[in-house]
Amino acid sequence: EELKKLILRLHAGESEDVVKEDFRKHFGGVSSYEIAQMEKSLMQDEGLEIEQVQLLCSVHANIFKGSIDEVHTVNREHEKVGHPVRVMREENYALKNLLESLNNNVRVYLEDESEKYRMNVLTQMNLLWDIDKHYTRKENTFFPLMEKNGLTAPPKVMWAVDDDIRLLIKNFKLAIENKDTEDLLTNYL
């Protein structure tokens, strides 16, 4: 209930810094289960739509940053080669590295709009689109298990966020293909 009150304050427009400070005062940490239950309650009890929860998802993550107890818990089973949790984690690291490299290449392209640098960015964008496979596996593997166990809100929110990211990637790639550097500067950097 206290977590929900904090998040509702965010949704009402209160400063992220103020809410974050109150969170730190009242909580040493939270579990991923508590966050899932809070999201479920926001949608079921408070009537928030998935889009409303999703809209402030990154703000929620900033509030809880470094305080989620169970998210990074690893057991021996998860560490086995080929285990879905390990595969997802490794793919997340690879995606993070690709995004850092892509960011550098976009900056180079914006400084020198040559075809060579544009093609470097497009090549990396094609690699980045593999995120669709990553999200599809997550959505079809983990989400049904979560829903089966009564955790319905987080998969709905995460699926919507995944779809937003897919759209951002498509639009970003279109801007590169169309050599629309103004769009890149305005909307993506």
Side-chain angles (χ1 to χ4, degrees):
E1 282 300 311
E2 291 302 316
L3 282 176
K4 186 169 72 172
K5 288 177 189 173
L6 287 171
I7 296 304
L8 286 171
R9 286 170 46 196
L10 283 174
H11 285 259
E14 193 166 335
S15 162
E16 180 181 336
D17 291 334
V18 171
V19 175
K20 187 184 286 189
E21 184 59 33
D22 284 351
F23 171 77
R24 298 213 188 298
K25 284 179 189 173
H26 294 58
F27 295 93
V30 293
S31 70
S32 53
Y33 177 77
E34 289 170 312
I35 293 171
Q37 291 303 314
M38 179 263 309
E39 287 181 348
K40 179 180 176 182
S41 179
L42 284 171
M43 293 187 329
Q44 288 180 350
D45 302 338
E46 303 299 326
L48 266 65
E49 297 292 325
I50 293 169
E51 295 80 12
Q52 292 173 295
V53 176
Q54 174 195 354
L55 185 65
L56 288 175
C57 202
S58 61
V59 177
H60 299 173
N62 283 338
I63 298 296
F64 302 135
K65 193 172 190 173
S67 301
I68 302 174
D69 297 328
E70 296 175 21
V71 169
H72 300 291
T73 301
V74 175
N75 65 38
R76 286 187 179 166
E77 185 68 27
H78 294 167
E79 285 304 304
K80 289 182 179 175
V81 173
H83 189 282
V85 171
R86 179 175 172 170
V87 170
M88 287 289 165
R89 187 178 306 116
E90 289 171 350
E91 287 177 356
N92 283 335
Y93 292 136
L95 286 164
K96 180 180 182 240
N97 290 334
L98 175 61
L99 285 169
E100 288 171 0
S101 176
L102 177 61
N103 185 45
N104 291 334
N105 281 323
V106 168
R107 291 186 189 288
V108 168
Y109 168 63
L110 290 173
E111 289 175 15
D112 176 356
E113 295 179 28
S114 71
E115 190 63 11
K116 170 185 165 185
Y117 294 128
R118 189 176 78 84
M119 292 310 293
N120 284 344
V121 172
L122 280 174
T123 298
Q124 286 192 304
M125 289 303 300
N126 288 332
L127 289 172
L128 182 60
W129 185 244
D130 280 348
I131 200 169
D132 181 57
K133 296 173 191 169
H134 174 81
Y135 286 159
T136 300
R137 277 195 314 280
K138 178 179 69 170
E139 293 159 355
N140 293 321
T141 303
F142 293 107
F143 292 179
L145 292 172
M146 293 170 75
E147 290 168 347
K148 180 180 173 184
N149 288 289
L151 298 172
T152 57
K156 289 177 184 174
V157 172
M158 286 188 283
W159 203 312
V161 170
D162 293 351
D163 286 344
D164 283 352
I165 292 169
R166 287 175 174 115
L167 183 60
L168 282 169
I169 292 170
K170 285 180 182 179
N171 290 338
F172 184 84
K173 185 176 179 190
L174 277 174
I176 296 290
E177 288 172 344
N178 296 330
K179 301 178 185 179
D180 189 350
T181 55
E182 188 64 36
D183 185 34
L184 292 173
L185 288 167
T186 304
N187 295 313
Y188 301 103
L189 296 179

